[in-house]
Amino acid sequence: MTTQRAFASSADLGEKQQTLEVLADGVYALTAEGDPNVGAIEGEDFLVCFDAMATPVAAGAWLAKLREYTDKPVRYLVLSHYHAVRVLGASAFNAEVIISNDNTRTLIAERGQQDWESEFGRMPRLFKEPDSIPGLTWPTVTFSDRCTIDLGGGRGDLVLQYCGRGHTEGDIVAWLPDKKILFAGDLVEAQAALYTGDAFHKDWSTSTLDQVGKLGAETLIGGRGAVAHGSVAVNAAINQTRHFLEVMLREVGAVRQRGGTLNEAFRMTHAALVDRYGGWPIFEHCLPFNVSRVWDELSGVVFPHIWTTERDRKIWNQVQG
């Protein structure tokens, strides 16, 4: 049996230890004990930054760490997807170009404001000085399938790629083929639980993760959790992500098929996942929203409902009973 818990991550107020790793010459990742990961790649005379954190103040702290290694200006800011904790710190980067998938721009227009309010309610600690946010972040360049940035100076290309619907309808990865380093965003988590409230579970668990795996990464930075070093660890992270999705689809599907309730689906899914994943970051926070979205998807709701602060609380209470 599960017990009623503090709403989402509202009680998670302790600071996390940030770790900046130099993955290769001019390639950086910042992880923080399960908080959202970010990264940066040096070009010849510029930087490409991957994801923006939740506020300009939070992003500024990341940039201060990065400036211990390089003073190159940020030319490109890449948004892996539209979620507020990934994009609302964008103004701190002073980027010449902000890049996303076409679908991400559409989602920002459709539900960006509601998502901002929802995520602030769920994860207040991540929003350091929220008054510093100037407004929604809008990409200035979008693409459908693939976009290549020439890093110059013999550094090779950075490939931005859409692998299919997954964590959202617009997730992209950033791939350094010469170094076999992949910034996967929230399409892959390494020893961190998944958030799937805006997901397309069937596509994600099959064709989308297949496309990620085909890249052949030997270093992977997921959306949360530690950097995966080596092909064995990379494959383990991809397989963990796939397994988490498959278990949710199986458990929720079985309850629906026998005419059960959403609350029952949550309890069965929690029981099936908790032993393996229950100690990982944001597991308890995410699972009620995840189960609600799986239930909807299996019920024929193709596109995720928009999360609002009111709907968050309603689903949280309904799913957990």
Side-chain angles (χ1 to χ4, degrees), residues 116-158:
W116 176 355
E117 295 163 1
S118 168
E119 293 196 44
F120 180 68
R122 295 188 197 181
M123 299 172 281
R125 179 178 52 78
L126 297 181
F127 288 80
K128 293 178 171 39
E129 298 188 33
D131 289 345
S132 66
I133 302 170
L136 293 175
T137 297
W138 294 98
T140 58
V141 171
T142 65
F143 67 95
S144 58
D145 298 314
R146 184 182 173 100
C147 175
T148 300
I149 297 172
D150 180 358
L151 297 173
R155 292 177 176 270
D157 290 335
L158 176 67

Side-chain angles (χ1 to χ4, degrees), residues 4-10 82-83 113-124 127 195 197-198 262 284-290 292 305-320:
Q4 192 72 24
R5 299 175 180 272
F7 174 68
S9 289
S10 60
Y82 77 96
H83 284 153
Q113 185 65 42
Q114 297 96 320
D115 181 73
W116 176 355
E117 295 163 1
S118 168
E119 293 196 44
F120 180 68
R122 295 188 197 181
M123 299 172 281
F127 288 80
Y195 172 66
D198 299 297
L262 183 63
E284 299 292 351
H285 164 171
C286 294
L287 198 62
F289 307 112
N290 295 355
S292 175
H305 291 298
I306 297 175
W307 293 101
T308 64
T309 53
E310 295 78 15
R311 184 165 181 266
D312 288 350
R313 294 281 182 170
K314 177 182 177 182
I315 294 297
W316 181 266
N317 294 328
Q318 178 185 357
V319 169
Q320 297 195 101

Side-chain angles (χ1 to χ4, degrees), residues 7 25 68 193 218 224 237 267-268 277 308:
F7 174 68
D25 179 29
E68 297 175 12
E218 295 180 1
R224 295 174 183 260
R267 289 187 285 108
M268 296 300 293
Y277 302 111
T308 64

Side-chain angles (χ1 to χ4, degrees), residues 52-321:
M53 308 190 101
T55 70
V57 170
W62 148 232
L63 288 168
K65 292 179 182 293
L66 184 60
R67 291 308 180 204
E68 297 175 12
Y69 296 86
T70 175
D71 60 0
K72 294 175 182 176
V74 179
R75 182 176 298 170
Y76 302 97
L77 174 61
V78 176
L79 307 179
S80 65
H81 60 287
Y82 77 96
H83 284 153
V85 295
R86 301 291 180 182
V87 305
L88 292 181
S91 62
F93 294 81
N94 294 313
E96 295 179 27
V97 180
I98 301 176
I99 306 178
S100 79
N101 181 256
D102 296 336
N103 294 332
T104 290
R105 195 185 201 289
T106 299
L107 289 164
I108 291 169
E110 177 188 65
R111 59 186 66 197
Q113 185 65 42
Q114 297 96 320
D115 181 73
W116 176 355
E117 295 163 1
S118 168
E119 293 196 44
F120 180 68
R122 295 188 197 181
M123 299 172 281
R125 179 178 52 78
L126 297 181
F127 288 80
K128 293 178 171 39
E129 298 188 33
D131 289 345
S132 66
I133 302 170
L136 293 175
T137 297
W138 294 98
T140 58
V141 171
T142 65
F143 67 95
S144 58
D145 298 314
R146 184 182 173 100
C147 175
T148 300
I149 297 172
D150 180 358
L151 297 173
R155 292 177 176 270
D157 290 335
L158 176 67
V159 179
L160 308 179
Q161 184 165 320
Y162 180 68
C163 295
R165 300 190 301 186
H167 174 71
T168 71
E169 194 180 11
D171 299 82
I172 58 175
V173 302
W175 169 233
L176 286 162
D178 291 353
K179 294 182 170 65
K180 297 190 180 301
I181 296 174
L182 180 67
F183 290 87
D186 281 318
L187 284 176
V188 180
E189 309 292 7
Q191 299 184 29
L194 277 63
Y195 172 66
T196 74
D198 299 297
F200 297 79
H201 298 81
K202 295 177 183 178
D203 289 0
W204 188 1
S205 62
T206 55
S207 57
T208 299
L209 283 178
D210 289 347
Q211 290 300 311
V212 174
K214 285 178 182 177
L215 293 172
E218 295 180 1
T219 302
L220 182 146
I221 307 89
R224 295 174 183 260
V227 176
H229 293 280
S231 57
V232 171
V234 169
N235 290 334
I238 294 171
N239 290 336
Q240 165 222 306
T241 301
R242 194 190 304 270
H243 178 258
F244 197 107
L245 295 165
E246 290 173 343
V247 170
M248 289 197 298
L249 285 165
R250 182 190 74 210
E251 296 297 327
V252 176
V255 172
R256 279 195 71 261
Q257 189 170 25
R258 64 173 179 263
T261 65
L262 183 63
N263 174 265
E264 183 184 358
F266 171 74
R267 289 187 285 108
M268 296 300 293
T269 305
H270 189 282
L273 290 170
V274 69
D275 287 348
R276 180 167 175 180
Y277 302 111
W280 289 5
I282 67 170
F283 175 80
E284 299 292 351
H285 164 171
C286 294
L287 198 62
F289 307 112
N290 295 355
V291 169
S292 175
R293 172 55 190 154
V294 176
W295 184 279
D296 283 349
E297 186 175 2
L298 295 179
S299 302
V301 180
V302 176
F303 296 101
H305 291 298
I306 297 175
W307 293 101
T308 64
T309 53
E310 295 78 15
R311 184 165 181 266
D312 288 350
R313 294 281 182 170
K314 177 182 177 182
I315 294 297
W316 181 266
N317 294 328
Q318 178 185 357
V319 169
Q320 297 195 101

